[in-house]
């Protein structure tokens, strides 16, 4: 506790930077992956290729990606962009799979009913498919958010300044409290983001509270919350 | 791209066999950590997952575990455990961290595999007079094998990735090339090491993918990630489509 008191400014500064570094990949993940997911869902031929590529991407260990990415895209090895882009790649990879599964979790009978009511093509997509895919999309986004916040810490090894700094500095100086502070703050950011996303989900999809929402989409959402995650 | 040619040259240099930090030794370390941690994680997680799946109790534990494993930063766990047990025992600390990060995926796989078994199949087994243990080991466990393998696959990848960080607490493994490369600015070494790590992860991933496929074939089910044909978005005439879907 003494350590925290003496270094409060540093902890606050690193926490804010850490949160800032996490936001861009999470947003990019959502914005890029939903169209990709739609693409994989609409065109059967695209599904296999897309899902295989994203599956391979998040097989890559994070530190290896941080090292391999700069020469591939031609940026400086220590650039802050490096960590942002690498984590965006993971976010997109993870979210594309969730988005595809989200759209597939929509009950075909509902889709049939929408067709029967005269919806077609994109009209049906915006009014029926996308809202009903919402709960699974949200489950995917929450996984992306938590894992991104945690993965940012590895960036310290390639020069990114974030809460991971407390881990390496604490290790060198032998201060357990410093590392513990880093872990606690990382988890707190993850929890704060998670609660925020849950709240946004609730506001955007009021029908998911209580008994609403399909059984099937709830099952898929739970499976994503259980099993997905980059390394 | 020049950098990658340098990395390739570094990888194929005879120094990698005869010099300090020989590749075979580091790969061996990395694999050893991975296998050991995976086995220990499985010994803890599989029985627990089967218990949760079979009884349906404690699901929240599985969900909580997955959430925690994602939220806890692996580098933080690795450094704090090393400090607590002392740098001399870093190996124990590292294995403990790998196990902590490996258990939730395997638990989720074991539990989801058992839970996904059709309830009517379980009821049929019970009606045939099987005991609960027999149901678990002869019905639920074999049918849930593909999902369990999926869990082991995620755990293995998670452990391989975390073992890369083990170099930073002095444990070698393939991460040592990245660590040395960054601090000494030997980019060929750094990239060469990263390439090896990616290859290792891809190979392990592919092996598990094959095992999953074999298991699926053995129990005679279609891949669960496959898309049921009824969900093809293409327009049959609308009422025919919904009738067809009902039949399916």
């Amino acid at each position: 506790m003494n350590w925290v008191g003496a270094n409060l400014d540093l902890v606050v500064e690193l926490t804010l930077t850490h949160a800032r570094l996490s936001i861009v990949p999470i947003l990019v993940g959502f914005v890029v992956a939903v169209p990709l997911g739609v693409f994989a869902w609409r065109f059967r031929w695209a599904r296999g290729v897309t899902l295989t590529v994203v599956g391979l991407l998040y097989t890559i260990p994070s530190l290896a990606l941080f090292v391999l990415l700069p020469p591939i895209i031609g940026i400086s090895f220590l650039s802050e962009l490096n960590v942002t882009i690498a984590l965006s790649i993971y976010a997109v990879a993870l979210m594309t799979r969730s988005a595809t599964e989200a759209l597939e979790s929509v009950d075909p009978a509902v889709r049939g009913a929408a067709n029967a009511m005269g919806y077609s093509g994109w009209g049906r997509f915006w009014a029926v498919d996308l809202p009903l895919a919402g709960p699974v999309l949200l489950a995917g986004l929450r996984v992306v958010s938590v894992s991104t916040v945690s993965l940012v810490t590895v960036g310290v090894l390639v020069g990114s300044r974030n809460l991971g700094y407390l881990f390496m500095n604490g290790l060198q100086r032998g201060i357990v409290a410093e590392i513990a502070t880093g872990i606690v703050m990382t988890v707190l950011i993850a929890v704060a983001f998670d609660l925020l996303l849950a709240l946004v989900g609730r506001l955007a999809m009021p029908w998911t509270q209580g008994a609403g929402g399909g059984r099937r989409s709830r099952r898929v959402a739970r499976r994503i919350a259980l099993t997905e995650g980059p390394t | 791209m020049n950098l990658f040619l340098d990395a390739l040259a570094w990888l194929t240099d005879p120094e990698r066999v005869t010099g300090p930090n020989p590749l075979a030794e580091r790969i061996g370390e990395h694999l050893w950590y991975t296998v050991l941690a995976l086995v220990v994680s499985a010994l803890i997680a599989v029985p627990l997952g089967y218990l949760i799946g079979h009884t349906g109790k404690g699901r929240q534990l599985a969900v909580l575990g997955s959430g925690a494993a994602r939220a806890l930063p692996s580098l933080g766990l690795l450094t704090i455990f090393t400090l607590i047990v002392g740098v001399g025992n870093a190996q124990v600390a590292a294995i403990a961290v790998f196990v902590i990060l490996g258990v939730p995926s395997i638990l989720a796989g074991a539990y989801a595999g058992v839970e996904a078994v059709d309830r009517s199949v379980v009821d049929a087994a019970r009606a045939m007079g099987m005991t609960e243990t027999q149901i678990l080991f002869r019905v639920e466990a074999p049918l849930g094998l593909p999902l369990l393998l999926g869990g082991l696959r995620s755990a293995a990848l998670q452990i391989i990735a975390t073992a890369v960080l083990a170099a930073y607490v002095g444990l070698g493994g393939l991460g040592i090339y990245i660590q040395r490369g960054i601090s000494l600015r030997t980019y060929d070494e750094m990239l060469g090491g990263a390439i090896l790590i990616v290859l290792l992860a891809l190979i392990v991933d592919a092996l598990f993918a094959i095992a999953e496929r074999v298991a699926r074939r053995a129990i005679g089910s279609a891949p669960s990630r496959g898309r049921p044909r009824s969900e093809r978005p293409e327009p049959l005439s609308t009422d025919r489509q919904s009738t067809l879907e009902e039949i399916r």
Side-chain angles (χ1 to χ4, degrees), chain A:
Chain A
M1 275 295 115
N2 288 339
W3 185 88
V4 180
N7 294 275
L8 206 56
D9 288 350
L10 177 70
V11 174
V12 171
E13 180 226 315
L14 291 176
T15 306
L16 292 177
T17 319
H18 196 106
R20 183 174 57 77
L21 281 173
S22 314
I23 289 174
V24 175
I26 299 170
L27 291 181
V28 170
F30 189 73
V31 171
V32 175
V34 171
L36 273 177
V38 172
F39 178 67
W41 164 70
R42 289 292 287 244
F43 305 103
R44 201 174 166 71
W45 55 267
R47 188 184 193 278
V49 182
T50 313
L51 293 191
T52 307
V53 171
V54 299
L56 289 179
L57 279 178
Y58 75 69
T59 304
I60 301 175
S62 46
L63 185 56
L65 188 59
F66 290 155
V67 168
L68 289 170
L69 198 60
I72 293 177
I73 58 176
I75 57 171
S76 155
F77 176 68
L78 292 174
S79 152
E80 194 179 86
L81 261 182
N82 180 14
V83 172
T84 304
I85 295 176
L87 293 182
S88 300
I89 291 176
Y90 283 130
V92 170
L94 203 64
M95 196 61 211
T96 300
R97 167 163 259 148
S98 302
T100 312
E101 291 187 11
L103 289 161
E104 283 169 0
S105 76
V106 175
D107 189 341
V110 173
R111 200 170 285 143
N115 286 343
M117 284 173 67
Y119 277 110
S120 65
W122 289 109
R124 193 196 66 191
F125 174 77
W126 290 110
V128 180
D129 291 310
L130 192 61
L132 288 178
V136 182
L137 282 177
L138 180 66
L141 192 61
R142 289 171 75 173
V143 170
V144 168
S145 157
V146 174
S147 17
T148 302
V149 171
S150 160
L151 280 177
V152 166
T153 59
V154 180
V156 72
L157 303 178
V158 291
S160 160
R161 200 173 150 80
N162 56 61
L163 286 169
Y165 170 81
L166 299 181
F167 303 159
M168 298 320 286
N169 192 53
L171 178 69
Q172 275 155 18
R173 298 168 55 192
I175 307 175
V176 173
E178 181 172 3
I179 306 180
T181 308
I183 296 177
V184 169
M185 293 317 287
T186 311
V187 173
L188 281 183
I189 297 176
V191 170
F193 280 17
D194 196 57
L195 291 177
L196 193 69
L197 285 174
L199 184 72
V200 170
R202 222 168 238 225
L203 294 177
M205 302 177 288
W207 66 87
T208 53
Q209 284 169 72
R215 257 222 330 254
R216 177 156 150 191
S217 79
R218 229 175 297 158
R219 205 178 55 218
V220 177
R222 200 177 63 202
R223 198 185 54 61
I224 287 176
L226 263 177
T227 54
E228 301 288 358
T231 50

Side-chain angles (χ1 to χ4, degrees), chain B residues 78 162-179:
Chain B
L78 205 55
T162 311
V164 173
L165 308 178
Y168 286 85
V169 293
L171 285 182
L174 285 170
I176 201 160
Y177 301 118
I178 295 188
Q179 187 216 11

Side-chain angles (χ1 to χ4, degrees), chain B residues 129-218:
Chain B
M130 282 192 181
T131 64
E132 293 303 307
T133 328
Q134 282 174 325
I135 292 174
L136 180 59
F137 288 104
R138 296 200 194 163
V139 180
E140 291 173 327
L143 288 176
L145 189 60
L147 283 173
L148 173 62
L149 284 168
L152 285 166
R153 178 183 184 176
S154 316
L157 292 172
Q158 178 72 52
I159 293 170
I160 288 176
T162 311
V164 173
L165 308 178
Y168 286 85
V169 293
L171 285 182
L174 285 170
I176 201 160
Y177 301 118
I178 295 188
Q179 187 216 11
R180 280 171 46 93
I182 291 174
S183 56
L184 305 175
R185 299 186 182 273
T186 42
Y187 293 126
D188 53 348
E189 178 170 16
M190 180 180 84
L191 287 181
I195 291 169
L196 281 182
I197 291 163
V198 173
L199 282 180
L200 181 71
L202 289 178
I203 291 171
V204 169
D205 188 52
L207 289 178
F208 273 105
I210 294 170
E212 267 179 67
R213 186 163 292 197
V214 170
R216 282 220 164 91
R217 201 154 291 167

